[in-house]
Short mmCIF file of all heavy atoms in Angstrom, two decimals:
data_model
loop_
_atom_site.label_atom_id
_atom_site.label_comp_id
_atom_site.label_asym_id
_atom_site.label_seq_id
_atom_site.Cartn_x
_atom_site.Cartn_y
_atom_site.Cartn_z
N ASN U 84 -38.14 65.95 5.15
CA ASN U 84 -39.39 65.58 4.49
C ASN U 84 -39.59 64.07 4.37
O ASN U 84 -40.58 63.64 3.76
CB ASN U 84 -39.44 66.21 3.10
CG ASN U 84 -39.53 67.72 3.17
OD1 ASN U 84 -40.11 68.27 4.10
ND2 ASN U 84 -38.92 68.39 2.22
N HIS U 85 -38.70 63.27 4.90
CA HIS U 85 -38.83 61.82 4.83
C HIS U 85 -40.07 61.35 5.58
O HIS U 85 -40.47 61.95 6.57
CB HIS U 85 -37.58 61.16 5.42
CG HIS U 85 -37.49 59.71 5.16
ND1 HIS U 85 -38.05 58.77 6.00
CD2 HIS U 85 -36.90 59.02 4.16
CE1 HIS U 85 -37.82 57.56 5.52
NE2 HIS U 85 -37.11 57.68 4.40
N PRO U 86 -40.73 60.27 5.11
CA PRO U 86 -41.92 59.78 5.80
C PRO U 86 -41.67 59.35 7.25
O PRO U 86 -42.60 59.32 8.05
CB PRO U 86 -42.35 58.57 4.96
CG PRO U 86 -41.74 58.78 3.63
CD PRO U 86 -40.50 59.57 3.84
N ALA U 87 -40.42 59.03 7.59
CA ALA U 87 -40.07 58.71 8.98
C ALA U 87 -39.14 59.77 9.54
O ALA U 87 -38.30 59.51 10.39
CB ALA U 87 -39.42 57.33 9.06
N GLY U 88 -39.29 60.99 9.06
CA GLY U 88 -38.42 62.10 9.47
C GLY U 88 -38.89 62.76 10.76
O GLY U 88 -39.86 62.32 11.40
N PRO U 89 -38.23 63.83 11.16
CA PRO U 89 -38.52 64.47 12.44
C PRO U 89 -39.87 65.17 12.54
O PRO U 89 -40.23 65.64 13.61
CB PRO U 89 -37.37 65.49 12.61
CG PRO U 89 -36.76 65.64 11.28
CD PRO U 89 -37.08 64.43 10.49
N GLN U 90 -40.63 65.21 11.47
CA GLN U 90 -41.97 65.79 11.55
C GLN U 90 -43.02 64.74 11.93
O GLN U 90 -44.20 65.06 12.02
CB GLN U 90 -42.36 66.40 10.20
CG GLN U 90 -41.50 67.56 9.81
CD GLN U 90 -41.92 68.13 8.46
OE1 GLN U 90 -42.75 67.57 7.75
NE2 GLN U 90 -41.35 69.27 8.11
N THR U 91 -42.58 63.50 12.14
CA THR U 91 -43.53 62.41 12.41
C THR U 91 -43.20 61.70 13.71
O THR U 91 -42.10 61.80 14.24
CB THR U 91 -43.50 61.37 11.27
OG1 THR U 91 -42.23 60.74 11.28
CG2 THR U 91 -43.75 62.01 9.92
N ILE U 92 -44.15 60.93 14.19
CA ILE U 92 -43.95 60.11 15.38
C ILE U 92 -42.99 58.95 15.10
O ILE U 92 -42.36 58.41 16.00
CB ILE U 92 -45.32 59.60 15.91
CG1 ILE U 92 -45.18 58.95 17.29
CG2 ILE U 92 -45.89 58.56 14.95
CD1 ILE U 92 -44.84 59.91 18.38
N PHE U 93 -42.84 58.60 13.83
CA PHE U 93 -41.95 57.51 13.45
C PHE U 93 -40.49 57.83 13.77
O PHE U 93 -39.67 56.94 13.88
CB PHE U 93 -42.06 57.19 11.97
CG PHE U 93 -43.42 56.70 11.56
CD1 PHE U 93 -44.22 57.47 10.74
CD2 PHE U 93 -43.90 55.49 12.01
CE1 PHE U 93 -45.47 57.03 10.36
CE2 PHE U 93 -45.15 55.04 11.64
CZ PHE U 93 -45.93 55.82 10.82
N PHE U 94 -40.18 59.11 13.91
CA PHE U 94 -38.83 59.52 14.28
C PHE U 94 -38.69 59.68 15.78
O PHE U 94 -37.74 59.20 16.38
CB PHE U 94 -38.48 60.84 13.58
CG PHE U 94 -37.15 61.41 14.00
CD1 PHE U 94 -35.97 60.91 13.46
CD2 PHE U 94 -37.07 62.42 14.94
CE1 PHE U 94 -34.74 61.43 13.85
CE2 PHE U 94 -35.85 62.94 15.33
CZ PHE U 94 -34.69 62.44 14.77
N TRP U 95 -39.64 60.37 16.42
CA TRP U 95 -39.49 60.73 17.82
C TRP U 95 -39.70 59.58 18.78
O TRP U 95 -39.05 59.54 19.84
CB TRP U 95 -40.41 61.90 18.16
CG TRP U 95 -39.94 63.13 17.47
CD1 TRP U 95 -40.51 63.74 16.39
CD2 TRP U 95 -38.75 63.86 17.76
NE1 TRP U 95 -39.75 64.82 16.01
CE2 TRP U 95 -38.65 64.91 16.83
CE3 TRP U 95 -37.73 63.72 18.70
CZ2 TRP U 95 -37.62 65.82 16.84
CZ3 TRP U 95 -36.69 64.63 18.70
CH2 TRP U 95 -36.64 65.66 17.77
N ALA U 96 -40.58 58.64 18.48
CA ALA U 96 -40.80 57.51 19.40
C ALA U 96 -39.53 56.68 19.57
O ALA U 96 -39.10 56.43 20.70
CB ALA U 96 -41.97 56.66 18.90
N PRO U 97 -38.87 56.23 18.49
CA PRO U 97 -37.65 55.48 18.72
C PRO U 97 -36.50 56.32 19.28
O PRO U 97 -35.68 55.82 20.04
CB PRO U 97 -37.26 54.95 17.34
CG PRO U 97 -38.21 55.50 16.37
CD PRO U 97 -39.29 56.19 17.10
N THR U 98 -36.49 57.61 18.96
CA THR U 98 -35.45 58.47 19.51
C THR U 98 -35.59 58.56 21.03
O THR U 98 -34.58 58.49 21.77
CB THR U 98 -35.53 59.87 18.87
OG1 THR U 98 -35.39 59.72 17.46
CG2 THR U 98 -34.45 60.78 19.39
N MET U 99 -36.80 58.67 21.54
CA MET U 99 -37.02 58.71 22.99
C MET U 99 -36.78 57.33 23.60
O MET U 99 -36.39 57.22 24.76
CB MET U 99 -38.43 59.20 23.31
CG MET U 99 -38.67 60.63 22.93
SD MET U 99 -37.52 61.73 23.78
CE MET U 99 -36.92 62.69 22.43
N LYS U 100 -36.98 56.28 22.84
CA LYS U 100 -36.78 54.92 23.34
C LYS U 100 -35.30 54.65 23.63
O LYS U 100 -34.97 53.76 24.41
CB LYS U 100 -37.32 53.91 22.32
CG LYS U 100 -37.58 52.55 22.87
CD LYS U 100 -38.32 51.70 21.85
CE LYS U 100 -38.70 50.36 22.45
NZ LYS U 100 -39.41 49.54 21.50
N TRP U 101 -34.41 55.43 23.00
CA TRP U 101 -32.98 55.30 23.30
C TRP U 101 -32.72 55.61 24.77
O TRP U 101 -31.75 55.12 25.35
CB TRP U 101 -32.15 56.21 22.41
CG TRP U 101 -31.90 55.64 21.06
CD1 TRP U 101 -32.47 56.03 19.88
CD2 TRP U 101 -31.01 54.57 20.73
NE1 TRP U 101 -31.98 55.25 18.84
CE2 TRP U 101 -31.09 54.35 19.35
CE3 TRP U 101 -30.16 53.76 21.48
CZ2 TRP U 101 -30.34 53.38 18.70
CZ3 TRP U 101 -29.42 52.78 20.83
CH2 TRP U 101 -29.51 52.60 19.46
N GLY U 102 -33.56 56.41 25.40
CA GLY U 102 -33.42 56.70 26.83
C GLY U 102 -33.58 55.45 27.68
O GLY U 102 -32.85 55.24 28.65
N ILE U 103 -34.56 54.61 27.35
CA ILE U 103 -34.74 53.34 28.07
C ILE U 103 -33.53 52.44 27.88
O ILE U 103 -33.04 51.82 28.84
CB ILE U 103 -36.02 52.62 27.57
CG1 ILE U 103 -37.26 53.47 27.82
CG2 ILE U 103 -36.16 51.25 28.22
CD1 ILE U 103 -38.51 52.96 27.14
N THR U 104 -33.02 52.41 26.67
CA THR U 104 -31.84 51.58 26.39
C THR U 104 -30.63 52.11 27.14
O THR U 104 -29.84 51.33 27.70
CB THR U 104 -31.58 51.55 24.88
OG1 THR U 104 -32.76 51.10 24.23
CG2 THR U 104 -30.44 50.62 24.53
N ALA U 105 -30.47 53.43 27.19
CA ALA U 105 -29.34 54.02 27.93
C ALA U 105 -29.45 53.71 29.43
O ALA U 105 -28.44 53.40 30.08
CB ALA U 105 -29.30 55.52 27.70
N ALA U 106 -30.65 53.74 29.97
CA ALA U 106 -30.84 53.40 31.39
C ALA U 106 -30.50 51.93 31.63
O ALA U 106 -29.91 51.58 32.66
CB ALA U 106 -32.28 53.70 31.81
N ASN U 107 -30.84 51.07 30.69
CA ASN U 107 -30.53 49.65 30.83
C ASN U 107 -29.02 49.43 30.76
O ASN U 107 -28.48 48.59 31.48
CB ASN U 107 -31.25 48.84 29.75
CG ASN U 107 -31.56 47.45 30.20
OD1 ASN U 107 -31.60 47.16 31.39
ND2 ASN U 107 -31.80 46.57 29.26
N ILE U 108 -28.34 50.19 29.91
CA ILE U 108 -26.87 50.10 29.84
C ILE U 108 -26.25 50.60 31.15
O ILE U 108 -25.28 50.03 31.66
CB ILE U 108 -26.35 50.89 28.62
CG1 ILE U 108 -26.76 50.18 27.34
CG2 ILE U 108 -24.83 51.05 28.68
CD1 ILE U 108 -26.49 50.94 26.07
N LYS U 109 -26.82 51.67 31.71
CA LYS U 109 -26.31 52.18 32.99
C LYS U 109 -26.48 51.15 34.10
O LYS U 109 -25.67 51.09 35.03
CB LYS U 109 -27.05 53.47 33.34
CG LYS U 109 -26.51 54.16 34.55
CD LYS U 109 -27.23 55.46 34.83
CE LYS U 109 -26.68 56.06 36.10
NZ LYS U 109 -27.71 56.33 37.06
N ASP U 110 -27.50 50.32 34.00
CA ASP U 110 -27.75 49.29 35.02
C ASP U 110 -26.74 48.14 34.97
O ASP U 110 -26.78 47.26 35.82
CB ASP U 110 -29.16 48.72 34.88
CG ASP U 110 -30.23 49.69 35.38
OD1 ASP U 110 -29.86 50.66 36.08
OD2 ASP U 110 -31.41 49.47 35.07
N PHE U 111 -25.86 48.14 33.99
CA PHE U 111 -24.81 47.11 33.94
C PHE U 111 -23.93 47.18 35.19
O PHE U 111 -23.35 46.18 35.59
CB PHE U 111 -23.93 47.25 32.71
CG PHE U 111 -24.58 46.86 31.42
CD1 PHE U 111 -23.94 47.14 30.22
CD2 PHE U 111 -25.82 46.26 31.36
CE1 PHE U 111 -24.51 46.81 29.02
CE2 PHE U 111 -26.41 45.93 30.17
CZ PHE U 111 -25.74 46.19 28.99
N LYS U 112 -23.84 48.37 35.80
CA LYS U 112 -23.01 48.53 36.99
C LYS U 112 -23.70 48.08 38.27
O LYS U 112 -23.06 47.94 39.30
CB LYS U 112 -22.60 50.01 37.13
CG LYS U 112 -21.71 50.49 36.00
CD LYS U 112 -21.35 51.95 36.16
CE LYS U 112 -20.51 52.41 35.00
NZ LYS U 112 -20.21 53.85 35.09
N ARG U 113 -25.01 47.88 38.20
CA ARG U 113 -25.76 47.44 39.37
C ARG U 113 -25.41 46.00 39.71
O ARG U 113 -25.11 45.19 38.81
CB ARG U 113 -27.26 47.53 39.12
CG ARG U 113 -27.77 48.93 39.02
CD ARG U 113 -29.23 48.97 38.74
NE ARG U 113 -29.96 48.50 39.92
CZ ARG U 113 -31.26 48.26 39.94
NH1 ARG U 113 -31.97 48.41 38.85
NH2 ARG U 113 -31.84 47.85 41.02
N PRO U 114 -25.48 45.62 40.96
CA PRO U 114 -25.24 44.22 41.32
C PRO U 114 -26.32 43.33 40.69
O PRO U 114 -27.49 43.73 40.59
CB PRO U 114 -25.35 44.20 42.84
CG PRO U 114 -25.30 45.62 43.29
CD PRO U 114 -25.67 46.46 42.12
N PRO U 115 -25.94 42.13 40.25
CA PRO U 115 -26.93 41.26 39.56
C PRO U 115 -28.13 40.88 40.42
O PRO U 115 -29.21 40.61 39.90
CB PRO U 115 -26.11 40.02 39.20
CG PRO U 115 -24.69 40.38 39.35
CD PRO U 115 -24.62 41.54 40.26
N GLU U 116 -27.97 40.84 41.76
CA GLU U 116 -29.11 40.47 42.59
C GLU U 116 -30.19 41.53 42.59
O GLU U 116 -31.34 41.25 42.94
CB GLU U 116 -28.67 40.15 44.02
CG GLU U 116 -28.02 41.29 44.76
CD GLU U 116 -26.51 41.30 44.62
OE1 GLU U 116 -25.95 40.52 43.85
OE2 GLU U 116 -25.88 42.14 45.30
N LEU U 117 -29.89 42.76 42.16
CA LEU U 117 -30.88 43.83 42.09
C LEU U 117 -31.57 43.91 40.73
O LEU U 117 -32.51 44.69 40.56
CB LEU U 117 -30.23 45.18 42.42
CG LEU U 117 -29.65 45.33 43.83
CD1 LEU U 117 -29.03 46.70 43.99
CD2 LEU U 117 -30.72 45.09 44.87
N VAL U 118 -31.13 43.12 39.77
CA VAL U 118 -31.73 43.14 38.44
C VAL U 118 -33.07 42.41 38.51
O VAL U 118 -33.18 41.31 39.06
CB VAL U 118 -30.80 42.47 37.41
CG1 VAL U 118 -31.48 42.30 36.08
CG2 VAL U 118 -29.52 43.28 37.25
N SER U 119 -34.11 43.04 37.94
CA SER U 119 -35.45 42.46 37.95
C SER U 119 -35.61 41.51 36.76
O SER U 119 -35.48 41.93 35.60
CB SER U 119 -36.49 43.58 37.87
OG SER U 119 -37.76 43.05 37.62
N LEU U 120 -35.89 40.26 37.04
CA LEU U 120 -36.06 39.25 36.00
C LEU U 120 -37.27 39.56 35.11
O LEU U 120 -37.13 39.54 33.87
CB LEU U 120 -36.17 37.86 36.63
CG LEU U 120 -36.04 36.68 35.68
CD1 LEU U 120 -34.64 36.63 35.08
CD2 LEU U 120 -36.32 35.39 36.43
N PRO U 121 -38.46 39.86 35.65
CA PRO U 121 -39.60 40.18 34.78
C PRO U 121 -39.36 41.42 33.91
O PRO U 121 -39.74 41.46 32.75
CB PRO U 121 -40.77 40.40 35.75
CG PRO U 121 -40.36 39.73 37.00
CD PRO U 121 -38.87 39.79 37.06
N GLN U 122 -38.72 42.44 34.49
CA GLN U 122 -38.48 43.66 33.74
C GLN U 122 -37.54 43.39 32.57
O GLN U 122 -37.78 43.84 31.44
CB GLN U 122 -37.86 44.72 34.65
CG GLN U 122 -37.51 46.00 33.91
CD GLN U 122 -36.75 46.99 34.78
OE1 GLN U 122 -36.47 46.71 35.95
NE2 GLN U 122 -36.43 48.13 34.21
N GLN U 123 -36.48 42.64 32.80
CA GLN U 123 -35.51 42.37 31.73
C GLN U 123 -36.09 41.41 30.68
O GLN U 123 -35.73 41.50 29.51
CB GLN U 123 -34.20 41.83 32.31
CG GLN U 123 -33.46 42.86 33.14
CD GLN U 123 -33.22 44.17 32.42
OE1 GLN U 123 -32.90 44.20 31.24
NE2 GLN U 123 -33.39 45.28 33.12
#
Side-chain angles (χ1 to χ4, degrees):
N84 294 327
H85 191 271
Q90 295 180 352
T91 66
I92 190 68
F93 297 112
F94 175 80
W95 291 107
T98 302
M99 294 301 130
K100 199 171 186 180
W101 279 107
I103 298 169
T104 305
N107 210 20
I108 291 171
K109 186 178 177 234
D110 286 345
F111 288 171
K112 295 179 182 176
R113 291 179 69 189
E116 61 267 8
L117 297 179
V118 172
S119 169
L120 194 64
Q122 177 187 0
Q123 293 307 319

